[in-house]
Amino acid sequence: MTNTHRPSVSALIPTFNGRHLLKKFLPSVFKSLRSKDELIIIDDASTDETIAYLIATYSLRPSKKITFKNNYSTENRTGKLLKNTYKLYTGTSKHSDQTIDITLVALKKNHRFGKAVNIGALFANHDYLLVLNNDVQ
């Protein structure tokens, strides 16, 4: 008997001024994800229209709800790292017969790739993380 269960994945995409790349490549990312997976986009203080594009395209709404896996909070997990340093937007996207949860973490300061990924991982709700560049097709 074959085990066909696939654990859910949290896909993390850090981006800086990557609106044109996300517009081009996000559709293929959605095709690769399955229902119950989630997409977390970490905007690293872009100065282009990345945030506005994502909010409009995926109907994202501001969110203050922060739920960290294993009951972590911004204070006990990262100290003062996240205090007043980001805005959070959430929504869902339906592709084919799948619904994917989307979280946009809009950082107010550029932290660079590694730290942006680590911040995004705080918002992940699944045990498996998939880190992608914003130009992955």
Side-chain angles (χ1 to χ4, degrees), residues 9-15 22 26 29-30 33 37-43 54 67 88-90 100-106 116-126 128-132:
V9 171
S10 297
L12 308 173
I13 301 178
T15 187
L22 294 171
L26 271 183
V29 171
F30 280 114
L33 297 175
D37 288 345
E38 68 180 342
L39 175 62
I40 301 169
I41 301 170
I42 308 97
D43 182 83
L54 292 168
T67 305
L88 190 65
Y89 301 88
T90 58
I100 307 296
D101 291 328
I102 302 172
T103 300
L104 169 60
V105 182
V117 168
N118 288 334
I119 291 170
L122 292 173
F123 294 90
N125 290 305
H126 303 302
Y128 294 92
L129 303 180
L130 172 64
V131 179
L132 301 170

Side-chain angles (χ1 to χ4, degrees), residues 13 21-34 39 58 95 98 130 132-137:
I13 301 178
L21 295 170
L22 294 171
K23 184 176 182 179
K24 181 176 180 180
F25 296 118
L26 271 183
S28 64
V29 171
F30 280 114
K31 288 179 186 175
S32 299
L33 297 175
R34 299 180 185 173
L39 175 62
Y58 299 105
H95 291 273
Q98 304 180 89
L130 172 64
L132 301 170
N133 286 329
N134 59 0
D135 62 351
V136 170
Q137 185 170 15

Side-chain angles (χ1 to χ4, degrees), residues 12-96:
L12 308 173
I13 301 178
T15 187
F16 175 72
N17 290 340
R19 180 190 56 77
H20 64 290
L21 295 170
L22 294 171
K23 184 176 182 179
K24 181 176 180 180
F25 296 118
L26 271 183
S28 64
V29 171
F30 280 114
K31 288 179 186 175
S32 299
L33 297 175
R34 299 180 185 173
S35 284
K36 310 252 181 189
D37 288 345
E38 68 180 342
L39 175 62
I40 301 169
I41 301 170
I42 308 97
D43 182 83
D44 208 6
S46 291
T47 56
D48 66 358
E49 296 296 319
T50 299
I51 294 171
Y53 167 76
L54 292 168
I55 290 170
T57 303
Y58 299 105
S59 301
L60 302 179
R61 300 282 181 248
S63 175
K64 293 188 181 207
K65 181 180 177 187
I66 301 173
T67 305
F68 292 113
K69 187 176 176 77
N70 300 321
N71 296 318
Y72 287 118
S73 72
T74 54
E75 289 302 315
N76 67 15
R77 181 93 180 251
T78 61
K80 296 181 180 179
L81 173 66
L82 293 181
K83 190 173 184 180
N84 298 318
T85 61
Y86 68 94
K87 290 184 180 178
L88 190 65
Y89 301 88
T90 58
T92 58
S93 182
K94 293 188 184 225
H95 291 273
S96 306

